[in-house]
PDB file of all heavy atoms in Angstrom:
ATOM      1  N   THR A  18     100.403 209.643  41.120  1.00  0.00           N
ATOM      2  CA  THR A  18     101.224 210.832  41.007  1.00  0.00           C
ATOM      3  C   THR A  18     101.580 210.992  39.527  1.00  0.00           C
ATOM      4  O   THR A  18     101.923 210.090  38.793  1.00  0.00           O
ATOM      5  CB  THR A  18     102.636 210.485  41.805  1.00  0.00           C
ATOM      6  OG1 THR A  18     102.281 210.229  42.958  1.00  0.00           O
ATOM      7  CG2 THR A  18     103.575 211.722  41.492  1.00  0.00           C
ATOM      8  N   THR A  69      85.496 216.122  37.447  1.00  0.00           N
ATOM      9  CA  THR A  69      85.568 217.593  37.377  1.00  0.00           C
ATOM     10  C   THR A  69      87.085 217.909  37.357  1.00  0.00           C
ATOM     11  O   THR A  69      87.884 217.333  38.180  1.00  0.00           O
ATOM     12  CB  THR A  69      84.952 218.354  38.601  1.00  0.00           C
ATOM     13  OG1 THR A  69      83.472 217.918  38.554  1.00  0.00           O
ATOM     14  CG2 THR A  69      85.065 219.867  38.277  1.00  0.00           C
ATOM     15  N   ILE A  82      86.581 210.969  31.699  1.00  0.00           N
ATOM     16  CA  ILE A  82      87.940 210.557  31.992  1.00  0.00           C
ATOM     17  C   ILE A  82      88.059 209.059  31.584  1.00  0.00           C
ATOM     18  O   ILE A  82      87.166 208.216  31.939  1.00  0.00           O
ATOM     19  CB  ILE A  82      88.116 210.651  33.492  1.00  0.00           C
ATOM     20  CG1 ILE A  82      87.806 212.086  34.035  1.00  0.00           C
ATOM     21  CG2 ILE A  82      89.522 210.363  33.799  1.00  0.00           C
ATOM     22  CD1 ILE A  82      87.629 212.216  35.540  1.00  0.00           C
ATOM     23  N   PHE A 131      95.073 209.278   9.345  1.00  0.00           N
ATOM     24  CA  PHE A 131      96.131 209.908  10.117  1.00  0.00           C
ATOM     25  C   PHE A 131      95.621 209.647  11.511  1.00  0.00           C
ATOM     26  O   PHE A 131      94.463 209.725  11.990  1.00  0.00           O
ATOM     27  CB  PHE A 131      96.247 211.288   9.899  1.00  0.00           C
ATOM     28  CG  PHE A 131      97.408 211.893  10.915  1.00  0.00           C
ATOM     29  CD1 PHE A 131      98.632 211.791  10.481  1.00  0.00           C
ATOM     30  CD2 PHE A 131      96.874 212.554  12.090  1.00  0.00           C
ATOM     31  CE1 PHE A 131      99.638 212.336  11.361  1.00  0.00           C
ATOM     32  CE2 PHE A 131      97.952 213.166  12.856  1.00  0.00           C
ATOM     33  CZ  PHE A 131      99.311 213.000  12.462  1.00  0.00           C
ATOM     34  N   LEU A 141      94.800 209.737  20.279  1.00  0.00           N
ATOM     35  CA  LEU A 141      94.837 211.128  20.749  1.00  0.00           C
ATOM     36  C   LEU A 141      94.354 212.107  19.815  1.00  0.00           C
ATOM     37  O   LEU A 141      93.967 213.356  20.005  1.00  0.00           O
ATOM     38  CB  LEU A 141      96.256 211.417  21.346  1.00  0.00           C
ATOM     39  CG  LEU A 141      96.776 210.605  22.442  1.00  0.00           C
ATOM     40  CD1 LEU A 141      98.241 211.167  22.864  1.00  0.00           C
ATOM     41  CD2 LEU A 141      95.869 210.692  23.659  1.00  0.00           C
ATOM     42  N   PRO A 159      87.977 207.836  21.144  1.00  0.00           N
ATOM     43  CA  PRO A 159      89.089 207.952  22.180  1.00  0.00           C
ATOM     44  C   PRO A 159      88.743 206.849  23.229  1.00  0.00           C
ATOM     45  O   PRO A 159      89.754 206.601  23.942  1.00  0.00           O
ATOM     46  CB  PRO A 159      88.772 209.306  22.807  1.00  0.00           C
ATOM     47  CG  PRO A 159      88.002 210.060  21.734  1.00  0.00           C
ATOM     48  CD  PRO A 159      87.137 209.222  21.033  1.00  0.00           C
ATOM     49  N   LEU A 205      97.781 200.036   4.248  1.00  0.00           N
ATOM     50  CA  LEU A 205      99.216 200.002   4.457  1.00  0.00           C
ATOM     51  C   LEU A 205      99.570 201.095   5.552  1.00  0.00           C
ATOM     52  O   LEU A 205      99.314 202.208   5.279  1.00  0.00           O
ATOM     53  CB  LEU A 205     100.003 200.227   3.077  1.00  0.00           C
ATOM     54  CG  LEU A 205     101.438 200.211   3.339  1.00  0.00           C
ATOM     55  CD1 LEU A 205     102.063 198.947   3.915  1.00  0.00           C
ATOM     56  CD2 LEU A 205     102.174 200.715   2.070  1.00  0.00           C
ATOM     57  N   ASP A 263     111.820 184.143 -20.956  1.00  0.00           N
ATOM     58  CA  ASP A 263     111.884 184.704 -19.531  1.00  0.00           C
ATOM     59  C   ASP A 263     111.244 183.690 -18.582  1.00  0.00           C
ATOM     60  O   ASP A 263     111.703 183.523 -17.575  1.00  0.00           O
ATOM     61  CB  ASP A 263     111.093 185.986 -19.452  1.00  0.00           C
ATOM     62  CG  ASP A 263     112.026 187.190 -19.475  1.00  0.00           C
ATOM     63  OD1 ASP A 263     113.171 187.012 -19.256  1.00  0.00           O
ATOM     64  OD2 ASP A 263     111.477 188.406 -19.363  1.00  0.00           O
ATOM     65  N   GLU A 295     108.474 174.563 -42.567  1.00  0.00           N
ATOM     66  CA  GLU A 295     109.153 175.842 -42.692  1.00  0.00           C
ATOM     67  C   GLU A 295     108.158 176.925 -43.149  1.00  0.00           C
ATOM     68  O   GLU A 295     108.322 178.153 -42.696  1.00  0.00           O
ATOM     69  CB  GLU A 295     110.119 175.732 -43.931  1.00  0.00           C
ATOM     70  CG  GLU A 295     111.362 174.963 -43.583  1.00  0.00           C
ATOM     71  CD  GLU A 295     112.134 175.799 -42.332  1.00  0.00           C
ATOM     72  OE1 GLU A 295     111.938 176.962 -42.383  1.00  0.00           O
ATOM     73  OE2 GLU A 295     112.812 175.097 -41.591  1.00  0.00           O
ATOM     74  N   ILE A 341     105.472 197.136 -27.210  1.00  0.00           N
ATOM     75  CA  ILE A 341     105.412 195.661 -27.093  1.00  0.00           C
ATOM     76  C   ILE A 341     106.813 195.281 -26.443  1.00  0.00           C
ATOM     77  O   ILE A 341     107.843 195.515 -26.992  1.00  0.00           O
ATOM     78  CB  ILE A 341     105.182 194.941 -28.538  1.00  0.00           C
ATOM     79  CG1 ILE A 341     104.069 195.387 -29.218  1.00  0.00           C
ATOM     80  CG2 ILE A 341     105.391 193.506 -28.357  1.00  0.00           C
ATOM     81  CD1 ILE A 341     102.757 195.099 -28.450  1.00  0.00           C
ATOM     82  N   HIS A 343     106.989 191.993 -24.464  1.00  0.00           N
ATOM     83  CA  HIS A 343     107.046 190.620 -24.397  1.00  0.00           C
ATOM     84  C   HIS A 343     106.010 189.917 -25.494  1.00  0.00           C
ATOM     85  O   HIS A 343     105.093 190.508 -25.846  1.00  0.00           O
ATOM     86  CB  HIS A 343     106.622 190.072 -22.985  1.00  0.00           C
ATOM     87  CG  HIS A 343     107.697 190.531 -21.955  1.00  0.00           C
ATOM     88  ND1 HIS A 343     107.759 191.817 -21.462  1.00  0.00           N
ATOM     89  CD2 HIS A 343     108.648 189.843 -21.301  1.00  0.00           C
ATOM     90  CE1 HIS A 343     108.745 191.953 -20.526  1.00  0.00           C
ATOM     91  NE2 HIS A 343     109.312 190.638 -20.413  1.00  0.00           N
ATOM     92  N   GLN A 385      89.859 156.658 -58.911  1.00  0.00           N
ATOM     93  CA  GLN A 385      91.129 157.287 -59.307  1.00  0.00           C
ATOM     94  C   GLN A 385      91.882 156.405 -60.358  1.00  0.00           C
ATOM     95  O   GLN A 385      92.316 157.014 -61.324  1.00  0.00           O
ATOM     96  CB  GLN A 385      92.144 157.354 -58.007  1.00  0.00           C
ATOM     97  CG  GLN A 385      91.748 158.293 -57.017  1.00  0.00           C
ATOM     98  CD  GLN A 385      92.662 158.306 -55.799  1.00  0.00           C
ATOM     99  OE1 GLN A 385      93.956 157.951 -56.031  1.00  0.00           O
ATOM    100  NE2 GLN A 385      92.204 158.760 -54.689  1.00  0.00           N
ATOM    101  N   GLY A 583      55.117 130.905 -68.077  1.00  0.00           N
ATOM    102  CA  GLY A 583      54.623 129.467 -67.805  1.00  0.00           C
ATOM    103  C   GLY A 583      55.194 128.865 -66.396  1.00  0.00           C
ATOM    104  O   GLY A 583      55.620 129.595 -65.708  1.00  0.00           O
ATOM    105  N   PRO A 587      61.413 124.115 -59.955  1.00  0.00           N
ATOM    106  CA  PRO A 587      61.975 124.368 -58.613  1.00  0.00           C
ATOM    107  C   PRO A 587      63.452 124.656 -58.780  1.00  0.00           C
ATOM    108  O   PRO A 587      64.047 125.463 -57.940  1.00  0.00           O
ATOM    109  CB  PRO A 587      61.526 123.222 -57.761  1.00  0.00           C
ATOM    110  CG  PRO A 587      60.388 122.620 -58.410  1.00  0.00           C
ATOM    111  CD  PRO A 587      60.669 122.791 -59.899  1.00  0.00           C
ATOM    112  N   SER A 691      62.127 112.361 -42.177  1.00  0.00           N
ATOM    113  CA  SER A 691      62.845 111.583 -43.131  1.00  0.00           C
ATOM    114  C   SER A 691      64.062 112.347 -43.545  1.00  0.00           C
ATOM    115  O   SER A 691      64.113 113.548 -43.661  1.00  0.00           O
ATOM    116  CB  SER A 691      61.912 111.220 -44.332  1.00  0.00           C
ATOM    117  OG  SER A 691      61.791 112.305 -45.068  1.00  0.00           O
ATOM    118  N   VAL A 746      62.270 102.653 -45.628  1.00  0.00           N
ATOM    119  CA  VAL A 746      63.200 103.005 -46.743  1.00  0.00           C
ATOM    120  C   VAL A 746      62.314 103.313 -47.959  1.00  0.00           C
ATOM    121  O   VAL A 746      61.467 102.413 -48.316  1.00  0.00           O
ATOM    122  CB  VAL A 746      64.174 101.963 -47.016  1.00  0.00           C
ATOM    123  CG1 VAL A 746      65.087 102.279 -48.150  1.00  0.00           C
ATOM    124  CG2 VAL A 746      64.964 101.518 -45.756  1.00  0.00           C
ATOM    125  N   ALA A 758      61.593  95.681 -59.602  1.00  0.00           N
ATOM    126  CA  ALA A 758      61.784  94.151 -59.302  1.00  0.00           C
ATOM    127  C   ALA A 758      62.872  94.221 -58.236  1.00  0.00           C
ATOM    128  O   ALA A 758      62.893  93.431 -57.343  1.00  0.00           O
ATOM    129  CB  ALA A 758      62.124  93.450 -60.535  1.00  0.00           C
ATOM    130  N   GLN A 783      43.623 113.099 -55.499  1.00  0.00           N
ATOM    131  CA  GLN A 783      42.469 112.698 -54.680  1.00  0.00           C
ATOM    132  C   GLN A 783      41.673 111.651 -55.513  1.00  0.00           C
ATOM    133  O   GLN A 783      41.158 110.659 -54.945  1.00  0.00           O
ATOM    134  CB  GLN A 783      41.758 113.766 -54.360  1.00  0.00           C
ATOM    135  CG  GLN A 783      42.278 114.786 -53.211  1.00  0.00           C
ATOM    136  CD  GLN A 783      41.453 116.061 -53.042  1.00  0.00           C
ATOM    137  OE1 GLN A 783      40.521 116.311 -53.814  1.00  0.00           O
ATOM    138  NE2 GLN A 783      41.821 116.867 -52.039  1.00  0.00           N
ATOM    139  N   PRO A 793      51.124  97.772 -60.438  1.00  0.00           N
ATOM    140  CA  PRO A 793      50.746  96.338 -60.917  1.00  0.00           C
ATOM    141  C   PRO A 793      51.948  95.464 -60.302  1.00  0.00           C
ATOM    142  O   PRO A 793      53.116  95.878 -60.124  1.00  0.00           O
ATOM    143  CB  PRO A 793      50.964  96.500 -62.325  1.00  0.00           C
ATOM    144  CG  PRO A 793      51.716  97.743 -62.765  1.00  0.00           C
ATOM    145  CD  PRO A 793      51.461  98.673 -61.561  1.00  0.00           C
TER     146      PRO A 793
END
Side-chain angles (χ1 to χ4, degrees):
T18 302
T69 304
I82 309 167
F131 177 82
L141 300 181
L205 172 62
D263 256 357
E295 285 299 330
I341 303 300
H343 293 78
Q385 291 179 25
S691 68
V746 181
Q783 291 173 348

